[in-house]
Amino acid sequence: YLYDTTYLNYVSDLTFDDDGYMYTLSRPSGNESAETYVCKWSGTNRIGCNTGNVSYGSALTHYEEQLFVLQTHNLTSYNHVIILSLDDLDYEDYFNYSKDLPSDGEGPYAMDLDADPDTGDIYIIFRDYYGRMRHYERGTDGTYCYGSACWTQQWTYTRYGNTINIHDGYAYTVGYYYSSFYGGLKKTELGGGSTTTIWSSFGNTG
């Protein structure tokens, strides 16, 4: 098994690329600290880490040769998606997702992101009452425009959503807690389509 008290301390997310490499996101000094390590692994061998370009990291996803790291904080100056090279984890770019969000310091907080495997478009789920989801389109040059005219927004109705997965033209989102009040597992058609409930609630069985 994989064990490392420095680079795998307080791991909050991980993802695998098509070649089987694993990427981990950890907060080595605890979740109240800005310090964030993004590392690449081959089995139990650590290939490398980026320890200087991400602050308050909370989630990972990837598309083609890029790794996307979500930063989550109540200050808009940290509300960025950081883009790293999948090969060597070098910094490449970022985009700001805070445009036109409420700015009262109480959220909504971005909780998770995923890339559409067909287009590279990025989707972010927010922790607010109606399950705000934002879509950032990937340009032909591989960049992401984040001005008011460049993103779209849908409501998934997963209350205080904390997980998102994009698959075959749908966003699958999960609310903050297992009870039906939080919406369970929802399936939302991308591009402004309808939302259906797959599970109204979930929990342990057996």
Side-chain angles (χ1 to χ4, degrees), residues 5 28 33 43 50 56 58 61 75 98 113 121 123-124 127 137 196 199:
T5 57
S33 170
N50 183 307
Y56 300 104
S58 57
T61 192
L75 296 178
S98 66
L113 82 169
D121 293 357
Y123 292 81
I124 300 175
R127 185 179 175 180
E137 186 175 351
T196 57
W199 300 330

Side-chain angles (χ1 to χ4, degrees), residues 5-202:
T5 57
T6 300
Y7 298 101
L8 295 177
N9 200 28
Y10 294 100
V11 172
S12 58
D13 202 9
L14 58 85
T15 189
F16 291 86
D17 68 17
D18 295 338
D19 295 319
Y21 292 105
M22 182 175 71
Y23 303 82
T24 56
L25 172 67
S26 63
R27 304 278 288 275
S29 299
N31 290 329
E32 299 302 316
S33 170
E35 188 177 26
T36 303
Y37 290 173
V38 180
C39 296
K40 181 176 182 177
W41 306 79
S42 176
T44 59
N45 179 45
R46 182 173 58 85
I47 296 174
C49 295
N50 183 307
T51 62
N53 293 117
V54 181
S55 299
Y56 300 104
S58 57
L60 292 174
T61 192
H62 73 278
Y63 176 74
E64 292 186 343
E65 299 305 314
Q66 293 179 317
L67 187 68
F68 300 86
V69 189
L70 181 67
Q71 296 185 160
T72 300
H73 197 268
N74 61 353
L75 296 178
T76 58
S77 58
Y78 289 108
N79 290 170
H80 298 159
V81 173
I82 306 298
I83 305 174
L84 306 178
S85 164
L86 204 63
D87 179 44
D88 54 15
L89 301 181
D90 281 353
Y91 173 85
E92 292 191 350
D93 202 357
Y94 83 96
F95 67 88
N96 187 321
Y97 63 78
S98 66
K99 183 69 175 176
D100 297 329
L101 287 174
S103 57
D104 57 7
E106 298 297 326
Y109 295 116
M111 300 302 292
D112 195 17
L113 82 169
D114 199 18
D116 186 324
D118 297 322
T119 65
D121 293 357
I122 296 293
Y123 292 81
I124 300 175
I125 188 73
F126 291 82
R127 185 179 175 180
D128 67 2
Y129 191 79
Y130 293 109
R132 184 192 311 259
M133 177 180 71
R134 282 194 170 180
H135 164 215
Y136 294 87
E137 186 175 351
R138 183 180 177 91
T140 56
D141 60 354
T143 62
Y144 295 83
C145 178
Y146 50 86
S148 296
C150 301
W151 50 264
T152 57
Q153 184 168 280
Q154 289 179 251
W155 304 105
T156 66
Y157 304 104
T158 44
R159 291 177 179 168
Y160 310 108
N162 66 1
T163 302
I164 186 169
N165 184 264
I166 306 299
H167 181 69
D168 286 347
Y170 291 90
Y172 294 83
T173 55
V174 176
Y176 176 69
Y177 203 52
Y178 71 88
S179 71
S180 60
F181 176 81
Y182 293 91
L185 173 63
K186 301 285 192 186
K187 176 182 178 181
T188 301
E189 186 178 3
L190 303 180
S194 61
T195 294
T196 57
T197 299
I198 297 177
W199 300 330
S200 61
S201 61
F202 52 90

